[in-house]
Amino acid sequence: MWQRLIDPEAGALLRLAAEQQKPAGGAALDQVLIASGAAAVLTAALLALGFGHRSGRLPVLTWLTTWSERGPGRGLPGWAALPSALSLVSLVTALLGMYWDISLHISHGRDEGPLANIAHYPILLGLFGIFSAGVLAVVLPKGERPGVAAVRITRDWYAPAGGVLLAGAGFYALLGFPLDDVWHRIFGQDVTLWGPTHLMLIGGAGLSLVALMILEREGRQARQDPADEIGSWGRTARRAAITGGLLIGLSVFQAEYDFGVPQFRLVHQPLLIALASGCALVAGRLWIGRGGAVFSVVFYMLVRGGVSLVVGGIIGELWAAVPLYFAEALCVEVAALALARRALPFAVVSGLLIGTFGFAAEYGWSHVAMGLPWTRDILVEGVGMAVVGGVAGGLLGALLALGMEGRLPRPVVTRSIFAAALVAVAAAVANGLVITVPHDVRASVTLTAVSGDAAHRSAHARVTLSPAGAVDDPTWVAITAWQGGGLHVDRLTPLGNGVYRTTRPMPLYGEWKTLIRLHDGRSLSAVPVYLPDDPAIGAGELPAPQQFTRPAQNERKILQRELKSDVPGWLWAASSAVVLACTIALVLALGWGVARVSRLMPEPARTPPATPEKVRT
């Protein structure tokens, strides 16, 4: 009522304030300057710490490396032990921030700015910690060459290859933050986890575990400690934490499915689960030994389940489902009973079991834990995608473990398998991205009010799709409402002949974005029910009358309403290609690191560790 008493000029000021509170095209300049200044200060402090250590003026890193050698990094030299511990703590911190941030964006939409979102701080702290761990691994070795695979920095300064790659992965992930703001300024807010700059954040953090494996291998070669024999619990726990961390990092790509708001076809989920489990669990079984796949999943469950508990139970944000993975671990362990000594056949068989029996287990688990469970609509294609992901991931995991053991096949064989696995994954992802949008489907909706209060309006709906056979045994016909202070996902109950009804009242007020989502085979579309007024993007309110009929459209236009429509397509393609090129460069660099330690450190299980080589000056 009071809004009618406000004059037009005051109303314009209110709309301007709303636009400033939740910008739709990048952060405010003052926040950009503050964030840039803080990053510069932290980087300067890190460089000063490293310089002080190498010059002998600051003993703090020497004290910390001594402590890490006796504690969590037993069996590793300080230049590997301290960065490894810091990396794992930082990764857990970043993981907590990422799931917290995803939950906030799903439930509340855009934030007022990057510094106004509390979840951004653990993300930044964690990613900077990963970068710092890599830098420490580079600066810590003094007066010695840290293993035969070390990289020469200056005439008498050598850095472990794993440390260099760890710093590179951390820097790549950190770079995603400023580039994300630039991306939003150019293209608007792409409210999806799979935005190119978002993938930089996730990919850099997840792939840093490969660099950590290389660093651990270099440290083991450089340190001879009878108390840390092969098969010791300390070494097993450390390696299970790394491969379990790799499983966590690769699983973050599934987060939209975990929360129940995927913006891509459902067949991507079994692909991603099989790829993550094939890569991490095959590597874990070969690298750790008997039970390695199970140990990796136990670590995954403790950390990933703990993060869901903290975000959903303690902080009070949305709960994220956790894929099972124990079935996939058992598939790997069973395959290892006959093929553990033949790594590549073992990887293929493990992938096939993951793509079939693992798929079946996750199919059942999805009906227990997932907001949008798997259905018969994806059975054939889903199994095919899971088999491709499982076999490709298994081969990549086998190459990773063989590299750590110094047993990679001949270079031509290794490169061919590596390239074929990456191409297979890329082809499967591309297949999942092929969608169609029906142009002749309409939804007639009749609402039955539950709460007539305009400030908290909610209603049940009866939905009639036309033509009646518009969807046939669909993956989902669901109501999704989000960004209004929570998440509402309701799979509609079919009544026959294209008629569906809701099982719970849906919100139709405030900032809620409410829509009917249709997914059938390759078809992915949506019908808007209620959309709020959004002055920041120049979009008006779409009301929800008691009865209406609206056509199905590309759901991206609704879910990613903030995207700018006037940006040339070639600019988006070119920008995405740059991000892709940087990602490929990181993957190839990690592949180079694995090949380097394999070539220079053959058969570590049969060759006694060498004493660190002194640098000749």
Side-chain angles (χ1 to χ4, degrees), residues 398-494:
L399 292 179
L400 180 57
L402 289 174
M404 296 304 100
E405 296 177 358
R407 297 192 296 116
L408 277 177
R410 292 181 296 112
V412 64
V413 175
T414 298
R415 292 167 187 164
S416 298
I417 295 174
F418 183 66
L422 292 182
V423 169
V425 172
V429 171
N431 171 66
L433 293 176
V434 176
I435 66 169
T436 60
V437 179
H439 299 290
D440 58 345
V441 176
R442 304 176 70 83
S444 298
V445 181
T446 300
L447 301 178
T448 302
V450 173
S451 171
D453 180 8
H456 297 88
R457 183 188 176 204
S458 62
H460 277 287
R462 181 184 176 92
V463 179
T464 302
L465 300 178
S466 59
V471 294
D472 178 24
D473 195 16
T475 304
W476 66 61
V477 176
I479 294 286
T480 294
W482 68 336
Q483 300 182 357
L487 174 64
H488 174 94
V489 178
D490 180 20
R491 296 178 65 228
L492 302 187
T493 300

Side-chain angles (χ1 to χ4, degrees), residues 241-590:
I242 294 175
T243 52
L246 180 61
L247 181 61
I248 294 170
L250 295 176
S251 297
V252 177
F253 293 102
Q254 308 161 23
E256 285 190 356
Y257 296 91
D258 296 341
F259 282 103
V261 285
Q263 299 188 46
F264 302 90
R265 292 204 293 132
L266 189 58
V267 292
H268 267 132
Q269 190 177 17
L271 167 69
L272 294 173
I273 289 175
L275 176 62
S277 54
C279 184
L281 300 184
V282 167
R285 178 59 179 83
L286 291 172
W287 197 40
I288 298 169
R290 185 173 300 172
V294 175
F295 297 151
S296 300
V297 173
V298 169
F299 180 85
Y300 165 89
M301 284 295 181
L302 290 174
V303 175
R304 176 65 182 78
V307 166
S308 286
L309 180 63
V310 171
V311 173
I314 298 177
I315 298 176
E317 293 298 332
L318 301 177
W319 286 86
V322 181
L324 195 59
Y325 282 125
F326 276 112
E328 287 86 337
L330 292 177
C331 289
V332 172
E333 294 291 346
V334 168
L337 294 177
L339 296 169
R341 296 182 181 275
R342 301 175 61 194
L344 296 180
F346 162 63
V348 173
V349 172
S350 295
L352 290 172
L353 293 176
I354 287 171
T356 50
F357 291 99
F359 177 92
E362 296 292 349
Y363 188 101
W365 179 246
S366 73
H367 287 263
V368 175
M370 301 292 177
L372 292 171
W374 299 1
T375 64
R376 292 177 300 176
D377 186 55
I378 71 163
L379 272 179
V380 176
E381 189 179 7
V383 169
M385 295 275 273
V387 167
V388 171
V391 172
L395 288 171
L396 292 173
L399 292 179
L400 180 57
L402 289 174
M404 296 304 100
E405 296 177 358
R407 297 192 296 116
L408 277 177
R410 292 181 296 112
V412 64
V413 175
T414 298
R415 292 167 187 164
S416 298
I417 295 174
F418 183 66
L422 292 182
V423 169
V425 172
V429 171
N431 171 66
L433 293 176
V434 176
I435 66 169
T436 60
V437 179
H439 299 290
D440 58 345
V441 176
R442 304 176 70 83
S444 298
V445 181
T446 300
L447 301 178
T448 302
V450 173
S451 171
D453 180 8
H456 297 88
R457 183 188 176 204
S458 62
H460 277 287
R462 181 184 176 92
V463 179
T464 302
L465 300 178
S466 59
V471 294
D472 178 24
D473 195 16
T475 304
W476 66 61
V477 176
I479 294 286
T480 294
W482 68 336
Q483 300 182 357
L487 174 64
H488 174 94
V489 178
D490 180 20
R491 296 178 65 228
L492 302 187
T493 300
L495 301 179
N497 201 30
V499 180
Y500 296 82
R501 64 171 174 83
T502 55
T503 65
R504 294 180 290 136
M506 56 186 168
L508 301 170
Y509 63 90
E511 298 300 313
W512 286 98
K513 299 178 178 69
T514 304
L515 61 156
I516 305 166
R517 302 186 65 194
L518 311 173
H519 181 7
D520 184 20
R522 292 185 181 274
S523 174
L524 202 60
S525 61
V527 177
V529 176
Y530 169 80
L531 298 174
D533 182 40
D534 194 340
I537 60 174
E541 176 185 354
L542 179 68
Q546 184 178 359
Q547 291 184 329
F548 62 87
T549 298
R550 290 171 183 159
Q553 58 182 273
N554 189 333
E555 67 171 19
R556 186 184 184 206
K557 295 180 179 179
I558 308 171
L559 293 172
Q560 299 182 41
R561 196 183 184 202
E562 296 90 344
L563 279 179
K564 296 179 180 178
S565 59
D566 57 348
V567 179
W570 66 264
L571 182 58
W572 188 91
S575 301
S576 299
V578 171
V579 174
L580 178 61
C582 294
T583 304
I584 292 174
L586 175 62
V587 171
L588 292 178
L590 293 171

